[in-house]
Amino acid sequence: MAPPKLSEIVADIPSLRGVFITAMPDCLLYEAWTRSEESWGTEDVASYFGDLVRANREGLKALKSWSAEMQITIESADLLLVLRELRSDFVVAFAFQREVPLGMVRLHTKRALDRLGALLPAVEAEARPRGARIVAFLQKYAPDPHAVLQRVALQTGITVDTLHRPEALDQGQVALLESAVKDVLGLQTLSI
Amino acid sequence: MPATPSPRSYLPEHDLMFFGGVPAVYHCHHFNLFLDQTIDDAIGPQAGAALRFTAARAASHDLLAGLAARAGTSTPIERLALAQDTFARMGHGRLGVTADARGGEAIGEWLHYGFAWREKYGSVVRRTRPADAFAAGFAAAAVEVAFGLPRETMDAAEIECIATKGARCRFTLTPGAAPPAVPSVGEAEVRAQLRPSFPGREEQAIAKIAAGLRDFTAGVAGDAHGLVPAFGVLVTMHLAGYYNRICCDAVRQVEARAPQVVGAIETLLRESGHVCVFNTFGGILLSPEWEGLVGPPDSDPAQIVVGCLGIARALGFGHWTLGELAPGERLVVRTPSSYESVYSLARYGKLPRPNEYFLQGASLAIAQLAHRVDWKSRPQLTPEVYAALFQGGELPWKAEQTESSSCGHPRSEVVVTRVA
């Protein structure tokens, strides 16, 4: 029997505005469903949620409080968001209307998650070179992204042309890159 | 205390500005932040901050010594008060200096760099290093001038900064050893480097706009916080010697240390001009003041270009003229001298390649404003609008400096052409 489609699993959940499934570790959109009236940029949303869950996981690990069952709940002005890791290779984000009771949200997400497992393929995480992942992270989060590779070039001495091919960076260059990216983003560590 | 003088002047036919006999220009926070950041990227955060401080102290000493002499001040208290008042009038914030010849401290409130950084980037990036090297240099120079100390013998360190989430900005002031002297480039040195001026197309219209804007900016001064929020940006009157020294020194250091990335620093210095002109000139074009002076901007690229060249002259950038304009295809900006080239010539003589990065980036931005903004819709020039200019990667226009008075050419020329 063919696996169910995402829309078949979630469309009938009351007050649900959208679902985003992000493939990890690259934070790429795997699949999304939103109601027709929503105008969200699903690629961007999926990518940021992936990073959020990863940062949360690292933070909890630092606090020695992480477990695979962790779930993030965000109550914004008009949304109630639930983010959950599904296996180690996907993150699922549910966006509900803000006024839905939390208990109902938990019930619906649990039921949906049970069925979503059948929808998702077994993914062999692609071993992207660390340099490539760092550059992708930088370009996503740096202020003034149009100029950021030039900034890193200046800090590291690695030419911009070389930085455009980050998968080819050697170990020493990756270390320089990582140091520069931490400086540009004001971070002590990169959770990549 | 004697009244603070308002000694702003322009060189006729060259549109270069002086303040207290020191080369000066108006620049916005976009330019100031991006330029400082580029210097630190280029030579490292510690060396960058040290260079920015040293350049600020030297240029500020020249300014404050000149102003103190003109005002006829006779006591250290008068000279410190004059310095603090000048700092605020220039739009750099409030700086309170409590010191004598043995040093002391300074407290900064609403400092332009720290405040602007926090507003622009503070929600995106955590900053760990203070942002106000210019204020540090100004405070040190104020003490030197107030107490008749030799120039560049007072050090300052910013020990608390609002850009790093401090409650305010605080500096310690201590006597130090003077570094090797770098000769000042003042009005006499600038005059000695001028090339014969010339008119361009639409000269009358550009000159009229420049004159009108000069009248307007003559009355501009810091508000209660010592800031100048205008045209959607924070404006400063600034010292050209500061900008020029940090640019020239950083480029030279990169040339010596990592020549393979000289192109990167040149691109970033151009970008500091691009982001500045797009936001500041664009903000001026959309302002009620502009509407009163010129009328509302429309979609005619020629009108936008003429307006921008008038703005450039009024802000003290030089006698920027319109060489050519083929709407949608090509823009040529020429000037006999720029605030960048006169400094470069005075300090280094002729250079082998052009180095007027602000002129290059500004000309590119003028082309963007003329062709890529829907003026009739009265747009807000938000960060998102600016970022959208770069959607798809490279800008669809490129700038090339084909002549430079820094290289001994009779004029500087930037050619901006459409790429795609």
Side-chain angles (χ1 to χ4, degrees):
Chain A
M1 191 174 79
K5 291 179 180 174
L6 176 60
S7 59
E8 292 170 359
I9 296 174
V10 300
D12 292 337
I13 298 177
S15 304
L16 182 66
R17 295 174 59 180
V19 174
F20 308 89
I21 303 177
T22 304
M24 302 299 279
D26 292 335
C27 299
L28 300 173
L29 176 67
Y30 173 73
E31 195 168 355
W33 170 87
T34 60
R35 296 209 182 272
S36 56
E37 62 270 26
E38 305 295 353
S39 57
W40 294 324
T42 53
E43 301 260 355
D44 288 343
V45 171
S47 148
Y48 288 122
F49 284 163
D51 281 334
L52 180 60
V53 169
R54 179 162 49 204
N56 190 62
R57 182 205 308 140
E58 297 304 315
L60 288 174
K61 281 181 177 174
L63 293 170
K64 301 187 178 8
S65 180
W66 179 80
S67 82
E69 301 301 309
M70 80 163 184
Q71 177 168 294
I72 302 172
T73 304
I74 301 171
E75 299 177 36
S76 73
D78 59 351
L79 278 179
L80 201 158
L81 291 158
V82 175
L83 282 69
R84 177 79 181 260
E85 279 185 295
L86 192 57
R87 305 196 317 234
S88 61
D89 45 8
F90 289 97
V91 164
V92 183
F94 298 87
F96 285 90
Q97 290 175 11
R98 179 66 182 81
E99 59 275 13
V100 182
L102 201 52
M104 290 300 290
V105 166
R106 286 184 178 139
L107 178 66
H108 286 305
T109 54
K110 182 171 187 324
R111 286 179 178 168
L113 284 166
D114 290 343
R115 298 185 67 197
L116 281 172
L119 172 71
L120 302 177
V123 172
E124 195 68 38
E126 183 189 351
R128 271 177 95 198
R130 183 164 178 78
R133 282 187 280 138
I134 293 173
V135 168
F137 187 82
L138 173 70
Q139 290 181 315
K140 196 188 316 177
Y141 291 110
D144 306 321
H146 61 280
V148 78
L149 285 189
Q150 280 82 7
R151 292 191 61 197
V152 170
L154 264 189
Q155 289 196 18
T156 61
I158 304 169
T159 65
V160 173
D161 283 346
T162 305
L163 290 169
H164 277 303
R165 300 187 306 277
E167 64 283 352
L169 296 176
D170 64 33
Q171 207 171 5
Q173 289 173 320
V174 170
L176 289 170
L177 170 69
E178 183 160 351
S179 173
V181 169
K182 285 192 284 190
D183 180 80
V184 167
L185 297 176
L187 297 173
Q188 290 192 319
T189 57
L190 292 183
S191 59
I192 294 176
Chain B
M1 190 192 92
T4 302
S6 179
R8 189 186 74 162
S9 62
Y10 287 82
L11 274 182
E13 300 187 343
H14 286 279
D15 299 290
L16 294 169
M17 187 171 78
F18 298 92
F19 185 58
V22 173
V25 287
Y26 290 101
H27 261 308
C28 69
H29 73 281
H30 294 291
F31 180 80
N32 291 333
L33 296 180
F34 202 92
L35 179 59
D36 271 19
Q37 172 185 279
T38 298
I39 301 306
D40 290 2
D41 287 339
I43 65 176
Q46 267 126 22
L51 172 60
R52 293 185 285 112
F53 164 73
T54 305
R57 181 177 60 181
S60 301
H61 189 109
D62 293 339
L63 170 69
L64 295 174
L67 291 178
R70 284 168 192 242
T73 56
S74 55
T75 68
I77 293 172
E78 285 179 333
R79 287 190 282 271
L80 281 178
L82 176 62
Q84 291 165 170
D85 188 54
T86 300
F87 190 79
R89 282 173 176 268
M90 292 169 71
H92 287 278
R94 292 279 170 198
L95 190 61
V97 181
T98 309
D100 57 24
R102 294 164 298 174
E105 70 164 5
I107 303 291
E109 306 277 3
W110 303 90
L111 295 187
H112 170 81
Y113 281 88
F115 176 73
W117 193 92
R118 194 182 70 179
E119 292 297 300
K120 182 170 184 180
Y121 295 123
S123 63
V124 182
V125 177
R126 177 182 293 277
R127 188 177 178 119
T128 56
R129 297 183 288 268
D132 301 291
F134 182 78
F138 195 98
V143 178
E144 291 166 1
V145 171
F147 295 96
L149 303 173
R151 49 184 293 131
E152 305 197 57
T153 56
M154 185 59 63
D155 281 338
E158 187 171 14
I159 56 173
E160 186 178 355
C161 177
I162 57 170
T164 57
K165 301 194 185 298
R168 55 188 175 172
C169 299
R170 286 199 304 138
F171 307 84
T172 56
L173 295 156
T174 52
V182 173
S184 297
V185 177
E187 185 166 344
E189 290 78 16
V190 167
R191 284 179 179 275
Q193 302 303 334
L194 296 174
R195 300 290 185 264
S197 189
F198 52 80
R201 298 183 182 188
E202 304 287 348
E203 181 59 35
Q204 271 194 317
I206 295 170
K208 185 179 173 193
I209 290 168
L213 278 174
R214 272 185 207 168
D215 289 344
F216 171 72
T217 55
V220 171
D223 61 12
H225 300 311
L227 298 173
V228 182
F231 314 122
V233 299
L234 291 168
V235 180
T236 53
M237 177 190 267
H238 219 307
L239 305 177
Y242 171 76
Y243 294 135
N244 287 320
R245 182 163 169 191
I246 62 176
C247 286
C248 289
D249 282 16
V251 170
R252 290 194 157 227
Q253 289 188 44
V254 172
E255 285 172 337
R257 178 183 54 82
Q260 73 277 15
V261 292
V262 166
I265 189 172
E266 292 185 329
T267 299
L268 292 172
L269 292 175
R270 264 195 297 280
E271 170 59 18
S272 63
H274 185 269
V275 68
C276 161
V277 164
F278 186 85
N279 285 290
T280 304
F281 287 27
I284 292 173
L285 291 168
L286 288 165
S287 68
E289 292 84 359
W290 184 264
E291 195 161 336
L293 183 67
V294 180
D298 67 22
S299 299
D300 175 14
Q303 190 212 48
I304 300 300
V305 170
V306 164
C308 287
L309 295 173
I311 295 168
R313 293 184 187 185
L315 300 183
F317 298 154
H319 188 68
W320 292 14
T321 68
L322 177 55
E324 297 172 37
L325 176 64
E329 296 174 19
R330 178 179 162 92
L331 164 68
V332 179
V333 176
R334 296 186 183 121
T335 180
S337 304
S338 67
Y339 80 83
E340 297 168 287
S341 68
V342 288
Y343 177 93
S344 176
L345 280 166
R347 193 165 161 201
Y348 304 114
K350 294 178 194 172
L351 292 182
R353 68 171 198 282
N355 67 345
E356 292 157 277
Y357 304 112
F358 177 72
L359 176 64
Q360 296 166 21
S363 300
L364 185 60
I366 291 172
Q368 310 297 312
L369 289 168
H371 295 94
R372 301 184 69 196
V373 176
D374 176 15
W375 295 102
K376 286 194 170 166
S377 70
R378 309 290 294 173
Q380 294 280 312
L381 298 182
T382 59
E384 291 73 26
V385 167
Y386 187 72
L389 294 175
F390 297 91
Q391 268 178 358
E394 301 289 314
L395 289 171
W397 293 75
K398 69 170 183 180
E400 182 184 7
Q401 184 158 14
T402 48
E403 294 181 69
S404 175
S405 46
S406 295
C407 304
H409 299 141
R411 64 188 181 185
S412 295
E413 177 183 89
V414 176
V415 178
V416 188
T417 49
R418 191 174 196 111
V419 177

